[in-house]
């Protein structure tokens, strides 16, 4: 991957929040992390060597290091993050060149478009932090529980995300925002029968999966699609089906098996009202890149040795001596863990042999930076939203959902008044995927311009207003278009800073079935496959197409168990907690405009929206 000079990149977490300025005494100044050492490695042995500083690798390094394992962690890049990096526009230009030259595995067809060129399209590259694999975090998630337990969350700033939008019939509609039975029954857009069916379904979803009756229903319907289950068992139809499956469940393709889809819908429901009136959070300044830096600091505290701008040149499986590009040699007592973008030349053929044994999946991404803050799509005091285009909702007759994460300047990823649209699809036909993404972009652009247009007075009539609970007229926004707005063409066009597109290959199934299940067959996951003639080499997966952080901890635990023989002691550490020192020096580091995340046992049974235990239908 390209080498980036210091003046090209945004400030890292360490630079925004240096450890010496606020951390408790357990955390020393992280020399070599905040100021990576340039000299040769000065160790002669370690237990585990990890190549690549992506999110999975960094969580793994921290988990091992806190159990006393000696970890050497290197990266061929001169920055931390690898596949989890948050890059500036100038960095992305170089990254695209590297991809198209074939020097970064598993990425292809990388393009960056700047309308008018930088001389006419003025911007400061370092004002933008663009994620290669953007994610959102549900409030009831194993990764969030680990962030709390490990105290890594103290390095981060969280923001709420409560607006999910689904596109259907050439129209945007808000998600099912009802979180109580009162909200559902006062919704004037649903019939009484639909309301009762929806309540019955939501109550079923929130039941314990170990309930004998529910368990039998899941078994009986394990082979049928979620669409068929909703219609046959609850008589639910559009638009509720699309909202439940694609907006709330964030399912990316039609005909997902019922148990898998129900788990995704439940993920949303149990996450509501855990930390506030929202189910999802995003991280300020970037997503996976911020978490990666947090675990990097944690691993360094536990004793991990870090070295950037360093490559593995050779490894002898007999003597277990590893040789590096800086001329140093280190004996590796146990395993060598290799990220897919960090594979040295001498391991290329071994990795290629494993690739032939697993199924690959393509993820096509389109990232658009626009000079609009898109507040029309977000709740008050929030800086993010999600827009979903279900299958067959676009003029291109898309067969896979298009999912879009929107973040504006309030999230620290771009200047105020602008926003970044992260769109992706799991469509396996490359040309079709690009058509679907461009079509979705066009629909969003038109909706946004209708919403923010200043010459609406001449086209609005009484059909474009609804009455509030107080009886006052309210203009229907572009997500619930009035009749006049549907055909209204705004006078302006969207001002685009840049567009970035690329295709990524992963070996993780879009439904995460080969990383979430403890019973995952070895043959379906590249991290479980054994390298011929060298059981000490472990290759990692590429990031999945999943829009949330689901599957990350499952994958790390799988690796941890393969290395140590068991995952029972995974992060089984009593971390010191000097809350007062953190609070004095890191005010606001935990949450932004939201309730602070507090330490807890994280028991999902205590967080049941919809009054699950009290419903009477």
């Amino acid at each position: 991957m390209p080498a980036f000079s210091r003046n090209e990149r945004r400030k890292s977490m360490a630079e925004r929040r240096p450890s010496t300025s606020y951390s408790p005494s357990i955390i020393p100044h992280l020399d070599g992390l905040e100021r990576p050492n340039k000299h040769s490695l000065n160790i002669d042995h370690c237990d585990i060597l990890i190549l690549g500083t992506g999110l999975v690798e960094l969580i793994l390094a921290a988990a091992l290091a806190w159990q006393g394992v000696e970890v050497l962690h290197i990266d061929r890049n001169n920055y931390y993050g690898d596949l989890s990096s948050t890059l500036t526009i100038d960095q992305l230009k170089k990254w695209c060149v590297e991809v198209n030259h074939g020097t970064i595995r598993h990425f292809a067809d990388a393009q960056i478009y700047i309308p008018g060129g930088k001389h006419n399209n003025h911007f400061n590259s370092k004002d933008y932090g663009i994620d290669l694999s953007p994610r959102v975090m549900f409030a009831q998630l194993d990764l969030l529980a680990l962030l709390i337990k490990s105290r890594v969350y103290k390095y981060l700033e969280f923001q709420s995300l409560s607006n999910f939008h689904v596109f259907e019939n050439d129209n945007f509609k808000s998600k099912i925002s009802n979180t109580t039975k009162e909200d559902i029954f006062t919704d004037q857009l649903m019939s009484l029968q639909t309301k009762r069916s929806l309540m019955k379904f939501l109550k079923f979803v929130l039941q314990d999966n170990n309930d004998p009756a529910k368990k039998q229903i899941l078994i009986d319907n394990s082979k049928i699609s979620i669409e068929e289950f909703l219609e046959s068992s609850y008589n639910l139809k559009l638009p509720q089906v699309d909202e439940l499956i694609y907006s709330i469940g964030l399912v990316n393709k039609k005909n997902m098996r019922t148990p898998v889809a129900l788990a995704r819908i439940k993920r949303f429901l149990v996450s509501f009202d855990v930390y506030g009136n929202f189910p999802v959070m995003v991280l300020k300044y970037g997503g996976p890149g911020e978490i990666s830096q947090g675990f990097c600091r944690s691993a360094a505290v536990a004793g991990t040795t870090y070295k950037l701008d360093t490559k593995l040149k050779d490894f002898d499986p007999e003597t277990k001596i590893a040789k590096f590009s800086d001329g140093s040699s280190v004996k590796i007592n146990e395993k060598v863990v290799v990220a897919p973008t960090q594979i040295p030349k001498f391991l290329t053929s071994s990795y290629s042999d494993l690739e032939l044994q697993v199924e690959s999946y393509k993820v096509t991404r389109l990232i658009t930076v626009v000079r609009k803050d898109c507040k029309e799509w977000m709740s008050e005091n929030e800086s993010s939203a999600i827009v979903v285009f279900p299958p067959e909702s676009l003029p291109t007759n898309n067969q896979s959902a298009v999912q879009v994460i929107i973040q504006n300047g309030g999230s620290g990823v771009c200047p105020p008044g602008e926003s970044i649209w992260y769109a992706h699809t799991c469509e396996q036909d490359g040309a079709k995927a690009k058509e679907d993404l461009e079509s979705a972009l066009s629909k969003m652009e038109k909706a946004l311009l209708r919403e923010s247009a200043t010459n609406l007075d001449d086209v609005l009539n009484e059909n474009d207003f609804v009455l509030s609970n107080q009886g006052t007229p309210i203009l229907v926004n572009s997500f619930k278009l009035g009749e006049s707005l549907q055909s209204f063409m705004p006078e302006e066009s969207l001002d685009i800073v840049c567009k970035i597109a690329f295709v990524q290959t992963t070996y993780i199934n879009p439904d995460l079935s080969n990383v979430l299940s403890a019973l995952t067959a070895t043959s379906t996951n590249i991290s479980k496959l054994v390298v011929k003639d060298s059981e000490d080499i472990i290759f990692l997966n590429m990031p999945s197409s999943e829009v949330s952080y689901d599957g990350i901890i499952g994958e790390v635990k799988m690796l941890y168990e393969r290395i140590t023989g068991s995952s029972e002691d995974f992060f089984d550490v009593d971390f010191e907690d000097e809350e007062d020192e953190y609070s004095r020096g890191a005010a606001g580091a935990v949450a932004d405009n939201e309730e602070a995340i507090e330490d807890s046992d994280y028991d999902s049974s205590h967080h049941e929206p919809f009054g699950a235990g009290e419903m009477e239908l």
Side-chain angles (χ1 to χ4, degrees), residues 202-211 213-214 266 608 612:
L202 295 175
K203 182 177 180 180
F204 168 76
V205 172
L206 289 167
Q207 284 179 338
D208 190 328
N209 285 352
N210 292 319
D211 178 85
K214 182 177 183 180
K266 185 173 183 177
E608 293 188 339

Side-chain angles (χ1 to χ4, degrees), residues 177-195:
S177 57
N178 312 295
T179 56
T180 67
K181 58 185 178 183
E182 289 79 9
D183 290 333
I184 292 175
F185 279 109
T186 56
D187 190 332
Q188 299 180 1
L189 299 178
M190 286 191 286
S191 67
L192 180 59
Q193 181 179 354
T194 299
K195 293 175 183 178

Side-chain angles (χ1 to χ4, degrees), residues 355-374:
E355 286 184 295
L356 297 175
Q357 302 178 42
V358 293
E359 185 175 358
S360 65
Y361 306 91
K362 291 181 180 178
V363 186
T364 305
R365 298 188 184 275
L366 175 63
I367 303 169
T368 309
V369 183
V370 303
R371 290 190 173 94
K372 285 281 189 181
D373 62 13
C374 302

Side-chain angles (χ1 to χ4, degrees), residues 5 47 88 130 154 324 394 415 471 491 516:
S5 65
D47 296 322
T88 67
I130 299 174
K154 294 178 181 290
F324 300 95
L394 290 166
E491 296 177 349
L516 282 181

